[in-house]
Amino acid sequence: MDNSPRPRRTLVQPSHPPVVLCLSGHDPSGGAGVQADIETLAALGCHAASVITCLTCQDTRDVRQIIPQQPDDLRRQAETVLADMPVAAIKIGLIGDAAIAETIARLIAAHPDIPVVLDPVLAAGGGASLSNEELLQAIREQLLPLTTLLTPNSLEARVLAGLVDLESCAHWLLARGCRYVLITGSHEDRPDVINTLYSQSLQEPFRWQRLPHEYHGSGCTLAAGGGGLSGAGRQPHGRRPRRPALHVASAGRRLPPRPGPIPAAPYPYRLQPMTLALPRKGLYAITNDLDDDALLAAVQAAIEGGAVLLQYRDKRRSPAQKEALGRDLLQLCHGLGVPLIVNDDIELAARLGADGVHLGRDDAGIAAARAALGPDAIVGVSCYNSLELARRAQSLGASYAAFGRFFPSKSKPDATPASLETLRLAKAELRIPIAAIGGITPANGAPLAAAGADLICAIDGLFGHAEVRRSAQDYAALFR
């Protein structure tokens, strides 16, 4: 085998700041709309390309009039930008009317690989309605199926879904095609603010102390931040600015802070990836020995089929080749919202900025992994058929315990067999998630999921399958 490093042809790290195309309204006060987008994206080290959806007559208190742009004019402007620049994400704000929504949907459908962040601006902060039933239907039917991250406040979520319970609203919106839904909670009558991020595999609340005063442009700022992070391959989150708000109007609402450019971010631009959380349940994909381009394509198919976690396991490439392929895998996984962990190699995980590492019996310990990767990293531990090893791993701070092999395995034919009884006992006792590994297929995996496996690991049963996406879907169905 030729171990010399090969030039990378796909998924290379950009040498320019990520470009985010903003389709937003214009706010003459400068607090919301496209100006909020531009300032937020600049603070994240991104470049904002902007197309105005509509003009508005508004101040920091309320919107008095919206004047939508002609749909054909918007289309030509956006197509010109998309043809000229490497757009990494699209952020949609105030739309204005149904014809504009339909035009935006056609633009997005023509560029299916670009992540989309939609802030469904349905009413102004002062209460003025900015939508009608025709626009709502266009959003529901044409834009939601194309949306990567939807950022409604609690009132907007209820209007879109026609439901009251916010968790039910989130699942309704996810069922319409959104990959993530972040429902903000500042409109709820409670002393704190809870923003909750939902996907098919997670529900993660972010709790904040409620700030005094009212704010103009906070939703635009949050959604633009999501667009910037999506463009840079980072996970959506529910955070808010920490700097003081600006109070520039005598009687209006305050403007959320949008800090200056992040220091130490010279061109060519590099953005450190955010650590993604360990999923609660689902298919845990572990790479096999496919060639680089075939493996990248297979990993994408696995994630699109339902894999919620990827482990990069590589026993044949040189260190330089591992690092090059690992960077491509990290960019691919984060672009699709899935954590990447590295098998055995803490140093490689640290160099990549991976989300964590999986450790075996003979690997460096959990403390060393956390020292190198940080307190939020995913650290998994192989426990074979030993409940005692799992107890010890949990006490030392492991993120999950992996048991196996449960069936004959091509990857580890000599591994210690594991029993369903060990899996049941572990589920009853451990507080951390449990992974099952070893020869598992969609056909034999159901008893493991029923016995308590939170994550079903697959190597050859997934990546050795002729149709990886279909195989991933079959594994994911074990958790429904």
Side-chain angles (χ1 to χ4, degrees):
M1 184 182 71
D2 180 11
N3 285 326
S4 60
R6 294 192 309 147
R8 307 305 302 154
R9 298 193 302 272
T10 59
L11 299 168
V12 295
Q13 190 82 344
S15 60
H16 50 72
V19 176
V20 178
L21 175 59
C22 300
L23 306 174
S24 303
H26 178 260
D27 171 13
S29 78
V34 71
Q35 184 165 333
D37 295 345
I38 293 169
E39 291 176 359
T40 302
L41 290 165
L44 290 172
C46 299
H47 174 77
S50 57
V51 175
I52 304 299
T53 56
C54 54
L55 302 177
T56 69
C57 177
Q58 67 174 299
D59 55 22
T60 60
R61 289 170 289 190
D62 208 352
V63 176
R64 288 153 177 77
Q65 184 184 10
I66 58 174
I67 306 103
Q69 185 176 190
Q70 291 298 312
D72 283 346
D73 293 339
L74 180 140
R75 176 187 56 79
R76 283 191 293 270
Q77 293 170 50
E79 287 177 345
T80 300
V81 172
L82 288 161
D84 181 57
M85 307 179 81
V87 172
I90 297 172
K91 184 267 180 182
I92 305 169
L94 176 62
I95 295 174
D97 68 8
I100 292 290
E102 293 163 2
T103 299
I104 292 173
R106 287 194 294 271
L107 283 166
I108 296 170
H111 298 84
D113 295 331
I114 302 177
V116 175
V117 177
L118 171 57
D119 176 17
V121 184
L122 305 182
S129 176
L130 304 177
S131 64
N132 54 34
E133 188 57 35
E134 187 179 8
L135 175 55
L136 287 172
Q137 283 301 105
I139 292 173
R140 292 177 185 127
E141 296 174 5
Q142 300 191 48
L143 289 178
L144 294 186
L146 305 173
T147 297
T148 309
L149 170 64
L150 184 73
T151 64
N153 61 42
S154 56
L155 304 181
E156 292 162 340
R158 291 184 175 111
V159 169
L160 283 171
L163 302 169
V164 175
D165 177 70
L166 290 178
E167 184 175 345
S168 299
C169 290
H171 290 300
W172 190 93
L173 294 165
L174 290 168
R176 295 318 180 268
C178 301
R179 185 172 178 85
Y180 293 94
V181 176
L182 175 62
I183 299 181
T184 61
S186 60
H187 289 81
E188 298 300 283
D189 184 15
R190 53 180 304 135
D192 54 359
V193 174
I194 300 177
N195 297 344
T196 306
L197 179 66
Y198 300 86
S199 75
Q200 296 291 357
S201 60
L202 67 83
Q203 177 178 332
E204 186 172 4
F206 299 83
R207 189 182 302 269
W208 310 103
Q209 180 181 354
R210 185 177 291 275
L211 298 175
H213 314 300
E214 293 183 343
Y215 297 85
H216 176 57
S218 56
C220 304
T221 301
L222 178 65
L229 297 178
S230 297
R234 295 171 68 177
Q235 174 88 339
H237 58 71
R239 296 174 181 163
R240 61 169 171 80
R242 297 182 180 180
R243 293 178 58 188
L246 301 176
H247 195 196
V248 296
S250 59
R253 298 190 306 281
R254 294 172 185 242
L255 310 184
R258 294 182 278 265
I262 297 171
Y267 302 128
Y269 185 73
R270 295 292 183 269
L271 197 63
Q272 292 300 315
M274 177 182 294
T275 300
L276 305 189
L278 177 68
R280 295 179 179 181
K281 285 185 178 293
L283 170 60
Y284 179 176
I286 302 176
T287 62
N288 66 356
D289 288 336
L290 291 171
D291 290 337
D292 291 18
D293 290 338
L295 181 60
L296 291 166
V299 166
Q300 181 168 341
I303 294 173
E304 291 174 347
V308 297
L309 179 65
L310 183 78
Q311 181 187 136
Y312 176 33
R313 182 176 182 269
D314 193 333
K315 303 295 184 182
R316 70 183 179 92
R317 290 178 178 82
S318 69
Q321 290 173 325
K322 286 182 182 179
E323 185 165 347
L325 179 57
R327 293 192 185 283
D328 285 353
L329 285 169
L330 183 67
Q331 185 172 345
L332 173 61
C333 287
H334 277 203
L336 295 171
V338 168
L340 172 73
I341 66 174
V342 175
N343 177 256
D344 292 349
D345 194 333
I346 296 173
E347 291 184 3
L348 176 59
R351 288 197 303 274
L352 294 178
D355 299 291
V357 67
H358 181 87
L359 303 174
R361 190 199 308 268
D362 302 321
D363 299 326
I366 295 169
R370 295 229 174 271
L373 304 177
D376 297 326
I378 300 169
V379 181
V381 177
S382 292
C383 299
Y384 312 101
N385 194 41
S386 171
L387 191 54
E388 181 55 40
L389 281 178
R391 292 189 189 105
R392 184 169 184 272
Q394 177 177 268
S395 70
L396 294 173
S399 305
Y400 68 86
F403 294 92
R405 63 173 173 87
F406 285 94
F407 304 100
S409 168
K410 293 181 182 179
S411 302
K412 291 192 175 183
D414 300 324
T416 304
S419 69
L420 278 177
E421 183 60 21
T422 300
L423 198 60
R424 293 189 189 99
L425 292 172
K427 185 62 177 178
E429 180 177 334
L430 299 181
R431 300 183 306 276
I432 57 178
I434 296 167
I437 188 171
I440 305 171
T441 68
N444 64 26
L448 302 177
D454 301 294
L455 299 163
I456 295 290
C457 302
I459 306 176
D460 293 311
L462 177 63
F463 292 116
H465 197 280
E467 296 185 24
V468 175
R469 185 180 318 203
R470 168 57 68 85
S471 180
Q473 291 170 340
D474 292 340
Y475 277 105
L478 295 173
F479 295 93
R480 292 178 191 148

